[in-house]
Amino acid sequence: MSIIFQESTRTFRLNAKNTTYMFKILDDEGFMAHAYWGKKLSDTDASYIVRRIPSPSVMERERATILDTMPQEFPSEDVGDFREAAFGLLDSEGHEGCSLLYDSHAIYPGKPALSGLPATFGSEKDCETLELTLKDPVLGIKAILLYTVFEDLDVIARSVRIVNEGKAPVRLTRVLSASVDFDREDLDMVSLWGGWARENNAQRVPIQHGIQKVESARGESSNTYHPFMALMAHDATDDFGEVYGFNFVYSGNFIAETQKEQHGYIRALMGINPQHFGWKLVPGDSFQAPEVILVHSSEGLSGMTRTYHDLYRQHLVRGKYAHALRPVLINNWEATYFDFNTEKLLEIASLAAKQGIELFVMDDGWFGSRRSDNAGLGDWYVCEDVLPGGLKPLADGINALGMKFGLWIEPEMVNEDSDLYRAHPDWAIQIPGRKHSRKRNQLVLDFSRKEVVDYIYGMIHKVLSSTNVEYVKWDMNRTLTNLGSYALDADRQQELSHRYVLGVYDMQNRLTTDFPQILLENCSSGGARFDPGMLYYSPQIWTSDNTDAIARLKIQAGTALMYPLSTIDANISIVPNHQTGRITPFTTRGDVAMCGTFGYQLDITKLTEEELSLIPKQVENYHRFNPLVTTGDYYRLHDIFTQDSWDSWMIVAKDRSEALVTYVQILAQGGDMIFPKVRLKGLEADSFYRIEGTDTVVSGQLLMQSGLQIDLKRGDYVSASVHLIREA
Ligand code: DGJ
């Protein structure tokens, strides 16, 4: 049993593989005190561990002082704790106070689904769940906290459902999914920042007194900050020391924050951003908040990374392609942009097919009046001027080449210049009387409204049923502003952002249920909605519109901080690169893309003979190495926080029998030593590994302690990929 409730001390102990998480009911009133999260303990009594402090009900004269100091499991606002809270509300009289006290609990095998939301899943053998019910005695508000422990991983999934069992409506103002009070001061915060075409840069800063947070209020999880943070002990490195990961399974507004309070201790919280959030909860109704995935590692940041990879591969990503080899794709966006027709697409496809490429994806521009990004979004029917006779002749032509056919959609959006907008202007998110804040000349459809989702899905369903479509790229190219819905009452307008996300999930759910054969790929101007919520519906996500191999090093390493390589779409594109103007070798572009889902985004008819000749071998290598890349353990060989003249990483098979090492020289260095050496990780020290393509056999110990010699050509942007095979 991984979850134990010790009756005598009223302690809850949650034991994952190498981790313990503990809290206890502090007194008869039912205050819940957080006790511990860290390396595994065998103790079942948390009495000694809880920060020494009288209970609020024992020392009534200092109730507020104590509440402001004690470690709380699910802190609420305005009864004494002035730190950042997990929960806040306004009651029907306009008061803010709420006190969530122990009511009951249940422990059971398995993990329940979260209504309307993506979440990790697990069988009764994989995991166990604690359902802890807290109750406010005055308002009758209940908070049902779920803690699921994945026994073979150092993972605890936390979420909360709020139920109004009182007599009057309340307005929820803050419902975060997890709060952890650490009895330690020595933590750094790791977070990811970025923007369009430069997603997921990792930064590490000490946690100072005050509040530190990353957030999105953009309606999507965003490319500016990521719904993730890791707290690293000051002395922790990539390979050693304690790290606590937080990742939010949600695709909308979020906060991830820390507060170092007056005594120096640190509170960490994660959940839906209270900005743009308010929820009217009438008696009998409930509100389900998404889940946070807590990962503890005592093997540094890389231990955390590998745990997230294992969890998401086994317990989040679903469907036909969750564990299957994905087809090598070629996408026409950077090849043609909006300038294409059936003939041009078939010309690209037929040359691609000859090289072994397996899936052709038609990107933006095939529907309605979409001849540029100024018009057509919302009109999901084929434009006969572009594709005479519709989709079928194209799809049939592609299939006749032995390739699968896929297409691009952006269902959440509308251009004012579209039939849809002309018929339903009130379907766009907007504040009446206020100017639209357009982005890429488009508006966002009000996906909080079921009739809007139904209508859009009806059109898309028709397209997908009209021919043999085996892949869909679901794009989303703007943030949410001017938050107003024609369908919501004034006292519910602040529900729009969350209801919107629920609408998106609803449609993704319908699409993946009705078309299980389709490989769904999410995208949001690249990686602006690359999050675990989206991964529940699509096994891969377009990582960045920046396809430059050198820029991709940081972008992919940041993304791989918690997302498995099997989810990271990476393509080879043309040079000079369209985003950076940089010229890199075709082989380097291949080596970098190989550590993702792999594909091409270029006009193959414009490649040189030499470049073209490299493709069949790349496709063969992809088939050979992708099973290792998508199931193995990923190790960073270069510090993720530092920009350098080189980068390197490796993937080691779970049974340590083989490894793939990639090294990229960003800028060549002067001097005689032109062959770099990189110290490997994760191999068996006392086994011997053959460097494929050579007669060299080296011990794992030597490769890890002294390093692998990398054979590199002289020059900038060159790379090497080395396959190591354990000797029998
Ligand atoms: C943004 C995406 O990230 C691109 O890959 C491409 O699909 C364009 N949208 C099309 O408009």
Side-chain angles (χ1 to χ4, degrees):
M1 286 248 295
S2 43
I3 302 178
I4 292 174
F5 176 63
Q6 190 181 52
E7 193 77 52
S8 55
T9 59
R10 307 220 284 172
T11 299
F12 293 93
R13 188 191 71 182
L14 285 57
N15 265 358
K17 192 176 172 201
N18 302 298
T19 305
T20 295
Y21 185 103
M22 271 174 132
F23 52 92
K24 72 176 253 121
I25 309 165
L26 199 61
D27 56 14
D28 289 345
E29 220 176 318
F31 283 101
M32 299 300 306
H34 179 77
Y36 177 82
W37 180 28
K39 278 188 193 170
K40 199 167 200 163
L41 299 176
S42 47
D43 303 65
T44 45
D45 176 5
S47 309
Y48 181 77
I49 313 172
V50 172
R51 205 179 293 169
R52 192 160 298 180
I53 203 152
S55 94
S57 50
V58 168
M59 207 187 210
E60 284 285 1
R61 75 177 291 275
E62 291 301 341
R63 194 176 169 94
T65 316
I66 294 167
L67 284 174
D68 201 23
T69 313
M70 68 178 271
Q72 302 219 45
E73 193 52 31
F74 195 66
S76 53
E77 285 176 343
D78 207 39
V79 284
D81 188 344
F82 286 94
R83 295 164 292 181
E84 291 291 282
F87 184 66
L89 56 68
L90 283 177
D91 69 19
S92 57
E93 316 269 293
H95 307 125
E96 291 182 34
C98 183
S99 204
L100 293 166
L101 305 168
Y102 176 80
D103 180 66
S104 61
H105 75 270
I107 296 170
Y108 47 83
K111 184 174 192 290
L114 303 185
S115 172
L117 287 169
T120 53
F121 53 83
S123 72
E124 297 194 351
K125 278 196 246 113
D126 301 324
C127 52
E128 196 172 22
T129 297
L130 163 66
E131 197 170 303
L132 175 69
T133 303
L134 311 181
K135 189 170 180 179
D136 179 82
V138 177
L139 298 172
I141 295 297
K142 275 187 173 173
I144 300 164
L145 273 59
L146 291 188
Y147 298 78
T148 298
V149 178
F150 286 85
E151 290 186 48
D152 292 338
L153 297 164
D154 287 310
V155 173
I156 295 170
R158 270 189 76 168
S159 62
V160 60
R161 181 159 54 94
I162 308 297
V163 186
N164 186 350
E165 290 191 354
K167 293 197 169 51
V170 297
R171 181 172 184 73
L172 306 178
T173 54
R174 189 174 173 96
V175 187
L176 305 192
S177 299
S179 168
V180 181
D181 278 333
F182 289 89
D183 276 354
R184 58 190 302 175
E185 318 176 23
D186 60 331
L187 297 173
D188 297 338
M189 184 180 184
V190 175
S191 60
L192 296 171
W193 62 272
W196 176 73
R198 54 200 169 86
E199 293 87 347
N200 291 341
N201 302 279
Q203 73 171 359
R204 175 179 182 172
V205 289
I207 296 174
Q208 312 278 9
H209 278 275
I211 294 165
Q212 275 162 233
K213 82 175 169 183
V214 289
E215 67 175 341
S216 167
R218 294 165 182 261
E220 58 184 357
S221 46
S222 97
N223 49 24
T224 40
Y225 303 108
H226 203 83
F228 160 81
M229 66 178 166
L231 308 187
M232 285 179 83
H234 288 333
D235 61 1
T237 65
D238 207 28
D239 301 307
F240 304 103
E242 280 202 283
V243 178
Y244 307 85
F246 295 70
N247 198 188
F248 200 26
V249 188
Y250 189 58
S251 310
N253 299 333
F254 75 89
I255 54 169
E257 65 175 343
T258 58
Q259 181 169 25
K260 194 169 206 174
E261 40 97 313
Q262 51 182 318
H263 303 97
Y265 291 138
I266 290 165
R267 172 173 287 178
L269 306 108
M270 180 174 267
I272 292 180
N273 197 337
Q275 191 182 342
H276 303 320
F277 175 79
W279 200 273
K280 182 176 167 187
L281 199 65
V282 297
D285 262 13
S286 65
F287 176 84
Q288 176 66 60
E291 75 176 354
V292 170
I293 304 299
L294 301 176
V295 167
H296 176 260
S297 161
S298 27
E299 292 176 5
L301 198 60
S302 70
M304 178 209 77
T305 292
R306 288 189 292 279
T307 301
Y308 275 119
H309 286 194
D310 286 342
L311 178 80
Y312 291 159
R313 288 189 293 216
Q314 300 304 327
H315 301 286
L316 180 67
V317 172
R318 303 170 305 155
K320 176 179 169 186
Y321 285 101
H323 304 289
L325 186 75
R326 319 269 166 77
V328 176
L329 65 76
I330 184 161
N331 174 304
N332 74 306
W333 179 241
E334 284 197 18
T336 64
Y337 295 102
F338 291 103
D339 185 17
F340 63 83
N341 53 28
T342 307
E343 201 186 332
K344 176 67 194 168
L345 299 184
L346 283 175
E347 188 195 0
I348 294 175
S350 81
L351 191 54
K354 285 191 191 116
Q355 317 312 316
I357 297 174
E358 298 152 320
L359 161 67
F360 180 83
V361 179
M362 174 174 61
D363 211 279
D364 195 355
W366 56 267
F367 51 91
S369 55
R370 189 79 169 165
R371 299 288 65 73
S372 73
D373 59 11
N374 287 322
L377 286 173
D379 296 339
W380 299 106
Y381 43 81
V382 176
C383 173
E384 295 268 344
D385 293 343
V386 178
L387 306 175
L391 276 189
K392 202 170 164 12
L394 174 65
D396 286 351
I398 304 260
N399 289 163
L401 295 167
M403 296 175 98
K404 295 180 193 301
F405 171 67
L407 52 76
W408 177 99
I409 56 174
E410 193 179 3
E412 299 157 70
M413 299 292 153
V414 67
N415 286 118
E416 288 149 277
D417 185 359
S418 68
D419 294 344
L420 184 82
Y421 187 80
R422 282 183 281 273
H424 301 284
D426 60 316
W427 281 10
I429 289 177
Q430 59 197 293
I431 300 175
R434 190 171 292 284
K435 267 189 168 183
H436 289 310
S437 293
R438 298 180 191 90
K439 227 178 153 177
R440 210 188 186 201
N441 215 2
Q442 66 197 52
L443 305 177
V444 185
L445 286 170
D446 185 354
F447 263 41
S448 75
R449 296 170 67 171
K450 186 169 177 307
E451 69 272 29
V452 176
V453 176
D454 286 349
Y455 190 87
I456 298 294
Y457 184 59
M459 283 193 280
I460 301 280
H461 190 284
K462 209 167 157 192
V463 171
L464 300 183
S465 311
S466 70
T467 189
N468 186 20
V469 180
E470 296 181 80
Y471 163 104
V472 166
K473 176 175 171 188
W474 176 313
D475 205 350
M476 191 273 193
N477 283 306
R478 65 156 294 174
T479 47
L480 273 61
T481 61
N482 302 46
L483 294 171
S485 165
Y486 273 92
L488 291 172
D489 292 338
D491 59 355
R492 288 198 180 271
Q493 285 292 339
Q494 281 194 299
E495 298 176 16
L496 175 58
S497 299
H498 181 60
R499 287 185 184 276
Y500 175 86
V501 177
L502 295 180
V504 172
Y505 288 152
D506 174 35
M507 184 163 153
Q508 297 229 340
N509 186 43
R510 292 194 221 180
L511 197 152
T512 47
T513 308
D514 293 346
F515 300 97
Q517 81 283 7
I518 285 182
L519 168 57
L520 179 64
E521 170 160 344
N522 268 290
C523 167
S524 179
S525 309
R529 206 164 55 180
F530 199 129
D531 59 58
M534 287 288 117
L535 286 178
Y536 183 71
Y537 302 98
S538 66
Q540 62 188 49
I541 299 178
W542 182 229
T543 317
S544 176
D545 276 351
N546 193 335
T547 54
D548 173 67
I550 299 304
R552 275 285 182 136
L553 296 174
K554 280 279 170 222
I555 294 170
Q556 291 180 196
T559 308
L561 198 51
M562 55 283 176
Y563 303 117
L565 304 187
S566 57
T567 65
I568 297 177
D569 191 3
N571 290 178
I572 296 178
S573 63
I574 211 91
V575 290
N577 180 268
H578 288 194
Q579 291 76 38
T580 63
R582 190 177 285 126
I583 296 175
T584 54
F586 203 75
T587 45
T588 303
R589 284 175 266 159
D591 284 343
V592 174
M594 198 61 74
C595 296
T597 63
F598 194 73
Y600 298 83
Q601 186 166 160
L602 41 70
D603 187 346
I604 197 168
T605 65
K606 298 206 172 109
L607 292 183
T608 63
E609 280 303 316
E610 193 198 336
E611 289 171 327
L612 207 55
S613 71
L614 296 172
I615 295 181
K617 185 68 185 164
Q618 286 177 331
V619 173
E620 187 190 318
N621 281 342
Y622 166 78
H623 280 252
R624 196 161 158 233
F625 294 126
N626 187 260
L628 168 63
V629 167
T630 54
T631 61
D633 285 341
Y634 167 80
Y635 291 85
R636 289 176 283 275
L637 302 178
H638 182 276
D639 179 26
I640 192 169
F641 303 108
T642 315
Q643 193 79 43
D644 214 331
S645 59
W646 62 279
D647 198 0
S648 185
W649 62 91
M650 68 187 289
I651 302 125
V652 185
K654 286 276 178 199
D655 66 1
R656 317 281 124 191
S657 61
E658 59 170 336
L660 185 69
V661 183
T662 308
Y663 185 100
V664 180
Q665 175 157 286
I666 300 170
L667 288 180
Q669 303 298 302
D672 295 332
M673 243 296 285
I674 61 161
F675 290 133
K677 209 172 172 189
V678 61
R679 282 194 292 152
L680 305 189
K681 297 180 182 174
L683 301 174
E684 273 173 1
D686 45 11
S687 290
F688 285 83
Y689 291 86
R690 187 165 49 78
I691 299 172
E692 195 177 54
T694 73
D695 297 331
T696 312
V697 175
V698 192
S699 73
Q701 189 180 42
L702 203 134
L703 289 167
M704 292 192 289
Q705 303 297 350
S706 173
L708 172 76
Q709 310 262 11
I710 308 283
D711 277 330
L712 268 189
K713 283 198 188 128
R714 209 185 273 271
D716 295 340
Y717 315 135
V718 291
S719 69
S721 178
V722 181
H723 186 214
L724 301 170
I725 305 159
R726 190 176 58 198
E727 292 279 272

